[in-house]
Amino acid sequence: MASSFPNLECRMYEARFPDVDMAVMIQVKSIGEMCAYVSLLEYNNIEDAEKGYVNLSKRRVSEEDIQICEDRYNKSKLVHSIMRHVAETMQLDLEDLYIHVGWPLYRKYGHAFEAFKLVVSDPDSILNSLTREVKETGPDGEEVTKVVPALTDEVKDALVKNIRRRMTPQPLKIRADIEMKCFQFDGVLHIKDAMRKAEAAGNQDCPVKIKLVAPPSYVLITQTLDKEQGISVLTKAIAACTEEIELHKGKLTVKEAPRAVSEREDILLAERMAKLSQANEEVEGDDDSEEEEDTGMGDIDLEKQQQEI
């Protein structure tokens, strides 16, 4: 497999050309009066067939067909990027790597992307089944064919490392913003009980935390690999929190429904809470103000709650 000057160009699929009626991803090279000249991105940018051109037709494509094509291409592009990087760093011929690793996985799993997802947690069961045939000269001088692993240990380790680096799922942060008030006597205790009910709605995969931003604003947060599950868990947490606070004639208002938040949104929330904490420290000593007693919010330990983020 090794070569001083490895070939790093190869189509993504075993077939040299797309099937008839198959939607493909293309790049337009030029546009003429009667036609356009394009390259096929999934087929190593090929333009010519044996003696002319690959004939493509432009037709109305349904949204479903577009989605299928884009999904296939994005998965194939990621697989191709991993394969090419391994070939380049290990000085391998890319097409040879596809012949003995990539395309067999496409055949067995429908798409190599699906196989690579399994490699993240169980590389041996996926990769150890791949073999190649090599010819050797036997003791009698005759050529014999032997079946050996498709990958050396070094190449296998490099492939697994790259797959894990590129395909290990990253947890999403799911957040909801609420306002919660309780004007009854010991309102702060009822709010704390409601917060505990919200956190109890979480589970091992989606633990829920509820943080005070500034009375009466709170955020509920969870992290999960499954976006829909995270949204569902926070929705249940809000319901549990609402039920508890309403038992004591309090009120909960959802300001922002559960949704996935970006790293920037998370940073902005942390900055906001830091500023509020600083402001809270500057007015320390005003704990006996009538306004605070009237709201029934109490002095929930803001600094302690921030440290938990």
Side-chain angles (χ1 to χ4, degrees):
M1 292 176 75
S3 171
S4 299
F5 303 98
N7 166 47
L8 298 177
E9 300 298 327
C10 184
R11 62 194 182 276
M12 297 179 181
Y13 312 125
E14 192 167 9
R16 293 183 61 83
F17 304 103
D19 295 333
V20 175
D21 292 332
M22 179 180 179
V24 294
M25 295 293 289
I26 57 95
Q27 181 179 27
V28 177
K29 295 295 187 180
S30 62
I31 300 177
E33 292 184 6
M34 301 296 294
C35 64
Y37 296 91
V38 303
S39 59
L40 309 186
L41 298 179
E42 297 163 279
Y43 294 84
N44 198 30
N45 297 317
I46 193 169
E47 298 177 11
D48 300 324
E50 296 177 7
K51 61 177 181 178
Y53 298 95
V54 178
N55 292 318
L56 303 178
S57 63
K58 182 180 178 181
R59 60 179 174 83
R60 186 177 299 276
V61 181
S62 68
E63 288 297 327
E64 182 181 2
D65 287 340
I66 292 173
Q67 184 61 47
I68 291 172
C69 182
E70 289 181 345
D71 183 62
R72 183 193 69 233
Y73 174 66
N74 289 331
K75 290 178 178 178
S76 302
K77 186 168 63 172
L78 177 56
V79 169
H80 192 74
S81 175
I82 293 171
M83 295 280 284
R84 194 179 191 282
H85 187 263
V86 171
E88 183 175 12
T89 56
M90 300 301 293
Q91 293 289 289
L92 307 174
D93 182 287
L94 179 57
E95 186 169 358
D96 190 64
L97 192 62
Y98 261 109
I99 289 171
H100 295 100
V101 178
W103 294 334
L105 293 178
Y106 268 97
R107 291 195 297 269
K108 184 174 181 179
Y109 293 91
H111 199 296
F113 179 87
E114 304 303 325
F116 279 14
K117 286 198 300 186
L118 299 175
V119 167
V120 171
S121 58
D122 188 11
D124 290 345
S125 66
I126 307 302
L127 300 178
N128 287 358
S129 63
L130 301 174
T131 60
R132 63 167 58 232
E133 292 184 352
V134 297
K135 296 186 182 297
E136 297 181 352
T137 302
D140 56 1
E142 293 187 2
E143 188 176 70
V144 295
T145 300
K146 293 180 61 176
V147 177
V148 300
L151 299 168
T152 65
D153 289 341
E154 294 77 13
V155 175
K156 177 183 172 183
D157 289 344
L159 181 60
V160 171
K161 179 181 178 181
N162 275 273
I163 290 173
R164 283 176 171 165
R165 180 172 60 86
R166 299 288 300 278
M167 297 191 65
T168 298
Q170 300 299 316
L172 292 170
K173 179 164 284 189
I174 311 296
R175 190 177 102 200
D177 297 57
I178 64 170
E179 286 187 355
M180 184 163 47
K181 302 176 182 178
C182 184
F183 296 101
Q184 279 203 326
F185 179 74
D186 285 341
V188 67
L189 298 180
H190 299 318
I191 287 175
K192 286 183 176 180
D193 287 340
M195 293 170 69
R196 293 188 187 98
K197 290 287 186 179
E199 293 188 342
N203 55 50
Q204 186 175 356
D205 295 329
C206 294
V208 173
K209 290 292 182 182
I210 181 168
K211 311 291 183 185
L212 170 66
V213 180
S217 298
Y218 298 79
V219 293
L220 292 91
I221 299 171
T222 188
Q223 285 191 324
T224 177
L225 297 176
D226 187 334
K227 178 181 176 181
E228 296 305 318
Q229 183 185 28
I231 290 175
S232 175
V233 166
L234 280 197
T235 300
K236 291 177 182 177
I238 291 172
C241 193
T242 301
E243 181 180 5
E244 178 65 23
I245 201 64
E246 287 182 351
L247 287 175
H248 304 283
K249 299 183 180 180
K251 182 179 180 181
L252 185 151
T253 304
V254 177
K255 307 302 289 185
E256 293 281 351
R259 77 265 184 217
V261 293
S262 65
E263 183 178 353
R264 174 169 174 74
E265 289 177 287
D266 212 31
I267 292 172
L268 291 175
L269 174 63
E271 290 176 349
R272 181 186 174 196
M273 294 181 71
K275 289 179 181 178
L276 290 170
S277 176
Q278 184 178 2
N280 187 59
E281 291 174 358
E282 291 174 355
V283 298
E284 191 173 354
D286 294 338
D287 295 336
D288 296 329
S289 68
E290 292 184 5
E291 180 182 354
E292 187 170 354
E293 290 179 0
D294 289 342
T295 60
M297 296 301 296
D299 57 349
I300 295 176
D301 191 345
L302 179 60
E303 182 177 355
K304 179 180 178 181
Q305 297 217 21
Q306 286 185 44
Q307 291 173 354
E308 295 176 355
I309 296 180

